[in-house]
Structures are given as structure tokens and as C-alpha cells.
Amino acid sequence: MSAAARPGSHWLRHGVVYAAMLPMLATVLFAYLGTVFWSVRVSVSSSRTLPSSDFVGMAQYTRLFASERWLLSLENVVVFGVIFIAACLVLGFLLAVFIDQKVAGEGVLRTVFLYPYAMSFVATGLIWQWVLNPELGIQSTVRALGFETFTFDWIATQDKVMYAIALAAVWQAAGLVMALMLAGLRGIDDSLWKAARIDGIPTWRVYMSIVLPMLGPSIGTAVVLLSVSVVKVYDVVVAMTQGGPGLASEVPGKFIMDNLFGRANIGLASAASTVLLLTVLALLAPWMYARARAARNGGHR
Amino acid sequence: MNTTTTTMPSQPLAPPNVARTSVRPRRSAWTPARIGIYAFLLVCAVFFLFPLYVMLITSVKPMEEIRLGNLFSLPVKVTLEPWAVAWSAACTGLQCEGIKGGFFNSIAIVVPSTILSILVGALNGYALSFWKPRGGTLLFGVLLMGAFVPYQVIMFPLVRAFAALSIFGTLPGIVLIHTIFGMPVMTLLFRNYYASIPNELFKAARIDGGGFWRIFLQLMLPMSLPILVVAVIMQVTGIWNDFILGLVFAGRDHLPMTVQLNNVINTTTGERLYNVNMAATVLTSLVPLFIYLVSGRWFVRGIAAGAVKG
């Protein structure tokens, strides 16, 4: 393989390699870079039903952030995201730690905690829509037991509906965090536990002060994965509440879809999706930086 | 996921860590702490299982029993009629054909999409790992960023491009879409797997006169069986569970099961047949649940290796 020895022969000799890479090249150029560029371009035009090529500066962005519906959807996704990520992390970590205590039936428990992750967000939303149904779901069941003032109507209450969606999403995704954390826990050397036992440190203390920091990379990965799914959340909302009651569970992902396909507002939707993209990049940047740094340090060791 | 190093934290080749039993704090007798651990796990198991239980029993109850409002009670009279209705007679708008059409549409979408996306991913990974084309690392880095771009951002331009190529709303169109969106993770999966194969093997095959395609088809692909299994599990469940791409790109004649399920439940007029709705939800979830239960640890391996999909 002395391509460098004979300049020019590299491309010729490896033509087949480059030919095989064409699908990937085309995908990157057209499906990813090209579309992002297109969206950004349309976001600074006055496009409504069809894309137009004029230039209106930041007008669509001004319009976007003057839209109450958009502001509401941002607020909703923040509420949803904070609850969803925090609950998934706490629940996933606790499940992993407790499963890691040499419990009987570990395999069964793992299967039980992870199976919702195999289900679609649509099915998740529909199941929870039924379970939380105020007339026939948990609320009515508990009331029938004699607790007549029991109230659990999050899904039908404007200022609580995001909690209901977060609950369903946590049910679906907490098992993923558990699986990631469990892999991290099993990677911790047993000598740590022996040392801690000799020093007489209580187990919970070891978990909080030593194990948790050691799981940093797993936690980072989990946070990034969960955050990205928060930014683009769509299916579960559509299935569970269709954005209702009223507009109370509107989210950015749905706002964009509605404006693209329902309300013929391409320029506005493109501005919104550009905002979404920048959010994802802002979330990714520190994580990628940390990983790149860790990789470099690891290489020098 | 990782653009600067050549290996992933969790090599798909390595045996999954979860399989190892740990030597954690010694197993002790029934202390309060042990009881607490089991109590917590039991409560959590109930939380995770009860929606499944409710879904299943609701799907075999007649509507009269459902109207009584006890979500958890076992059916007095078990009926399979809701399942039959869900499969072949439930209405979406004016059409009353159930979700069986969606089932076959989903199969028609999943099979070619899975095969094509895995083949392209394997080819990319193979070329990147062994032939190291110029600019390959950069290209791969950009591709991986693509895995994080929300669908909504790049969806509309693709709709227009597909319309211009007149493949919008066709089966080839939706297959191509799944191939495009599956490419980052599939490429990552195979690139990391091939990175764990000794380069000497590749060099020996080169010396024996193997060309690009021959080494790929006769040496590397047959060696990729473990990662192929992981990839098939990931793609089949992922594509089966997809909603938004099917909704936009599949076209009216190829709507996948998830979209039809949502239509059956959320666009009905008149009385809502909760038993039929839950039967339809069970039916739609059967394929991924079956794969999950059968594949066990392979499924977890896919999470570790390709969790990037999110």
C-alpha cells in the first residue's frame, strides 16, 4: 500500500473504495448538511406555503418569539425535560444500585424494568392516556374504593398535563438509564469494595462519594441521550394528548410539524427548527469536548 | 458518538458486562436493609408492570365492564372480540378496516429498510476501518453529528427533494428515509466492530489478492454475525416503532402500524371503545416486545453500542 510513493495513483487504485463511500458522502452532503443549510436559508425568507428566495432578515425569528404558542411550547418542553431527565436519572440509578445488591431474580427484574423501552412512544402515550383517564382510569378506580375526593387528573388539567406526559416518558425510558448505569457499576473494580469494607465505610457512603463520581461518563452519556430526545419530543405528545387540553401540552417538535404540514408556515417552522438545532448543538458541545479531552488524556497516559 | 477515538467505551465484541455476577457487599440474612431493597424493587416492578396488566385486561373486557370504572379488576367475562375488531374492523375516520393493513405495511417497510440500512452501514464501517479513505474520519464525524439532528429540522427539505424525485409517499421513499436516518448509528456500530478485528487479518487477505468487495463479502461480512444480530434487533425495533417518518414519508397507502394505531384511537368519532383501543395497542407492540423478550442480552448490547440513537 504505497500510494504515497506514486502520486496520483492513490485515487486510481482506490477508486472502488471511494465509489463504495458514495452513499455515505451523498447522505452527509445532501440529507444532513444540505437540508440544514436549506432550513436555515428558508428561515430568513418570507416563505409561507412554498419556499421563496427573498431575504427578510430575522423577521421570522421575531415573529417566532412573539408567538405565544411557541413560547408556551418552550416553557412546556423545559418543564417536561427537567422532570423527565431528573426522574430518569434518579430512578435509573437507584434501580441499577439496588439490582446490583446480589438480589434474587435479577434477570427477571432487569427484563421488567427495561421492557417499556422496547415499546414505541405512541403505544406508551396511548397506554398512559387510558390509565390516566379521569373518568375510567386510576382516579375513578381509587374513588370507587371509598376515597371519594381522590384526584388524579393531570392529563386533563392544563397546568399539570406536562407532568402526565413526563410520567409516561419516564416509564418508557428509565430502564435505559438503568441498563447504562448497571454496565457502569459492573465495570467498577471489586478491590474498591474490599478497601471500603476494610475501612468500615458504610455502603451508601461509598455509592454517593465514590461510585457516583466514577459513573460520571455513563451519567453524561445518559443525560445527552435523554436531552436530545427531549428536544425532539413529538410522538408521545401526539399520542397522549394531541397537544391538549387546549394548547397546554404544545411542544416545539409539534409546533414545527404543525406549521410545516398543517398551517403552511414554512418560514416560521424553519426558524423554529433552526432554534431547535442550535439547542442540540449547545447541549452536545460540552459533552463532545469532554469526551475529546478524555480521549486525548487517555492517549497520553 | 465518538469522533476522536477509534474505540467505543463498550465494545460490542466484548461480552456484556451485565452478564457477570458481582461480588458486591456480601449477601447477608434478612436484615432490614435487605427487606428495604426488595421492597423498593418490588414497588418499582409494580410501577413498570401495571400499565401492561391494565392494557391486557382492558383488551379482553366487554365495554359494559369497562364502564363500571374499575381499571384493575379482572374481567368477569373474557371476550376476544375487541382483538378481532382491532385487527380487522376498527375505524379510522370513514374507513373501517382495522389495523391489519398497518401491520403488513410495517412489515413491507421494516424488511427492506433493515436490510438496506445494515448493508450500507456495514459497507461504510468496513471501508472506514480497513481502507481508511482520505477524508473518511471527517465525513464520519459529520455523519455522527447527523444522529443528533432532530428529524424536524431536516424533514421538510427532504420532503421536497423526494417529491422532486417522485418518490415521496412511496415504499422506496420511506425505505430510503429509514436508510438515511439509520446510517449514522449503523456505520458507528460496524466501524467499531471492525476496529476490534486485528488488522493483520485484513493484510493477509490483501496479500492473498483479495479486492475490496471480495474481502468485504467473503471475509468481513461472515465474521460480523454477532454485530449483525445486534444491528437487526436495533433496526427492526427502531423502524417498527417509528411514527413521525412513517406519518410524513410513507404516503397514504403505506402508513405503518404505529400511525394507523394512533389514527384508530385519536381520530374516532362517537363512543370510544377502550377495549378495542388497548387490543390495537397490544397488537402494535407485539413485534418489538417479542424481539425484546427473545433477544434478551443482545438487546442490551444494542443499547450500549448504539444508544446514540436516543
Side-chain angles (χ1 to χ4, degrees):
Chain A
M1 311 243 299
S2 53
R6 277 170 293 144
S9 68
H10 176 87
W11 294 94
L12 204 69
R13 271 155 41 87
H14 292 277
V16 61
V17 182
Y18 291 97
M21 300 289 284
L22 279 180
M24 183 168 156
L25 182 69
T27 301
V28 166
L29 284 184
F30 299 112
Y32 289 115
L33 293 179
T35 51
V36 166
F37 177 79
W38 192 94
S39 279
V40 174
R41 172 67 190 89
V42 169
S43 77
V44 291
S45 75
S46 66
S47 312
R48 293 193 73 93
T49 318
L50 291 169
S52 56
S53 54
D54 59 347
F55 182 78
V56 295
M58 302 303 280
Q60 298 284 12
Y61 292 87
T62 316
R63 213 175 126 212
L64 181 70
F65 281 93
S67 154
E68 257 178 60
R69 199 167 167 175
W70 170 253
L71 294 176
L72 177 67
S73 71
L74 282 184
E75 194 187 316
N76 282 341
V77 84
V78 170
V79 171
F80 168 78
V82 169
I83 299 174
F84 171 69
I85 293 174
C88 275
L89 287 179
V90 172
L91 187 58
F93 177 70
L94 288 178
L95 287 174
V97 167
F98 280 51
I99 273 193
D100 201 32
Q101 304 301 316
K102 296 192 80 179
V103 293
E106 185 195 311
V108 177
L109 286 170
R110 263 195 283 124
T111 308
V112 166
F113 297 148
L114 191 58
Y115 88 88
Y117 189 68
M119 310 210 2
S120 57
F121 263 129
V122 176
T124 303
L126 295 172
I127 296 169
W128 282 91
Q129 182 195 64
W130 168 233
V131 169
L132 298 177
N133 179 323
E135 275 92 50
L136 297 168
I138 292 180
Q139 176 175 295
S140 81
T141 308
V142 175
R143 282 186 185 175
L145 292 173
F147 305 91
E148 307 211 336
T149 53
F150 177 82
T151 311
F152 189 43
D153 55 356
W154 289 359
I155 198 169
T157 314
Q158 296 221 336
D159 54 355
K160 297 207 182 87
V161 64
M162 289 319 292
Y163 306 157
I165 295 172
L167 175 65
V170 168
W171 175 80
Q172 204 257 0
L176 166 75
V177 179
M178 177 206 71
L180 290 172
M181 299 268 181
L182 199 54
L185 284 178
R186 295 284 153 92
I188 290 176
D189 202 77
D190 280 326
S191 60
L192 173 83
W193 289 102
K194 292 198 186 105
R197 207 175 302 144
I198 292 167
D199 290 347
I201 305 169
T203 311
W204 68 270
R205 218 30 241 282
V206 180
Y207 273 111
M208 294 312 290
S209 309
I210 304 173
V211 175
L212 205 53
M214 284 177 84
L215 288 179
S218 304
I219 296 172
T221 304
V223 169
V224 168
L225 293 180
L226 297 174
S227 318
V228 172
S229 72
V230 165
V231 173
K232 61 185 182 191
V233 62
Y234 175 75
D235 308 12
V236 68
V237 175
V238 168
M240 205 165 158
T241 65
Q242 294 138 298
L247 294 176
S249 56
E250 193 74 15
V251 286
K254 185 169 174 298
F255 178 93
I256 294 173
M257 292 294 284
D258 289 349
N259 279 293
L260 280 182
F261 299 105
R263 319 170 110 228
N265 249 332
I266 306 175
L268 189 68
S270 299
S273 48
T274 306
V275 173
L276 225 57
L277 182 68
L278 291 176
T279 314
V280 170
L281 290 180
L283 289 168
L284 279 181
W287 180 67
M288 291 205 149
Y289 176 73
R291 297 204 44 153
R293 235 179 61 153
R296 213 177 310 129
N297 292 346
H300 283 310
R301 219 181 290 145
Chain B
M1 183 167 216
N2 189 338
T3 53
T4 47
T5 49
T6 41
T7 49
M8 281 275 292
S10 41
Q11 277 297 338
L13 189 65
N17 285 330
V18 255
R20 211 186 77 218
T21 18
S22 65
V23 208
R24 289 290 171 263
R26 256 169 311 130
R27 184 180 210 148
S28 41
W30 283 97
T31 60
R34 294 298 293 175
I35 295 171
I37 289 170
Y38 280 104
F40 175 81
L41 288 173
L42 200 68
V43 169
C44 288
V46 169
F47 168 70
F48 281 97
L49 281 176
F50 91 88
L52 184 69
Y53 165 79
V54 167
M55 173 168 72
L56 286 173
I57 56 162
T58 305
S59 74
V60 292
K61 274 186 201 174
M63 271 310 285
E64 304 87 67
E65 280 185 45
I66 291 174
R67 278 191 217 102
L68 297 176
N70 192 337
L71 195 63
F72 300 103
S73 68
L74 282 167
V76 180
K77 197 180 111 213
V78 172
T79 167
L80 286 178
E81 207 201 316
W83 286 62
V85 174
W87 179 248
S88 57
C91 299
T92 51
L94 292 174
Q95 280 185 314
C96 292
E97 289 163 3
I99 55 167
K100 67 168 186 292
F103 177 80
F104 293 112
N105 287 346
S106 276
I107 288 184
I109 293 170
V110 165
V111 173
S113 304
T114 301
I115 295 172
L116 194 62
S117 62
I118 290 177
L119 271 183
V120 174
L123 182 64
N124 290 346
Y126 161 74
L128 287 170
S129 276
F130 293 115
W131 294 86
K132 301 187 172 60
R134 281 178 197 175
T137 313
L138 176 70
L139 195 63
F140 178 60
V142 180
L143 183 72
L144 273 189
M145 293 293 288
F148 294 101
V149 176
Y151 290 166
Q152 288 92 340
V153 178
I154 55 184
M155 186 169 267
F156 196 71
L158 283 179
V159 168
R160 296 197 51 92
F162 275 37
L165 298 169
S166 28
I167 51 170
F168 178 66
T170 65
L171 197 56
I174 180 77
V175 169
L176 185 58
I177 275 291
H178 280 301
T179 307
I180 288 173
F181 281 99
M183 197 183 288
V185 176
M186 288 298 113
T187 304
L188 173 76
L189 208 62
F190 282 93
R191 175 183 167 274
N192 288 336
Y193 182 79
Y194 289 136
S196 70
I197 290 179
N199 208 39
E200 284 69 35
L201 193 72
F202 172 70
K203 282 186 186 144
R206 287 283 288 150
I207 290 164
D208 286 346
F212 180 85
W213 291 106
R214 211 164 142 223
I215 297 179
F216 178 57
L217 294 172
Q218 294 188 359
L219 180 67
M220 292 306 170
L221 263 193
M223 281 183 67
S224 315
L225 192 62
I227 206 68
L228 280 172
V229 174
V230 171
V232 167
I233 292 169
M234 285 176 68
Q235 287 303 85
V236 172
T237 44
I239 297 170
W240 189 276
N241 285 339
D242 158 68
F243 174 76
I244 190 168
L245 297 178
L247 178 71
V248 173
F249 287 93
R252 199 165 297 170
D253 298 331
H254 309 284
L255 287 181
M257 204 172 184
T258 47
V259 176
Q260 294 212 349
L261 169 73
N262 187 55
N263 287 346
V264 162
I265 297 189
N266 281 327
T267 65
T268 29
T269 45
E271 195 200 20
R272 305 194 74 175
L273 302 169
Y274 296 108
N275 49 4
V276 172
N277 291 351
M278 284 301 110
T281 310
V282 180
L283 283 168
T284 309
S285 308
L286 279 182
V287 168
L289 279 181
F290 176 78
I291 291 175
Y292 170 67
L293 291 175
V294 170
S295 64
R297 290 213 170 101
W298 293 90
F299 188 90
V300 180
R301 243 192 255 200
I303 288 180
V308 77
K309 199 165 175 180

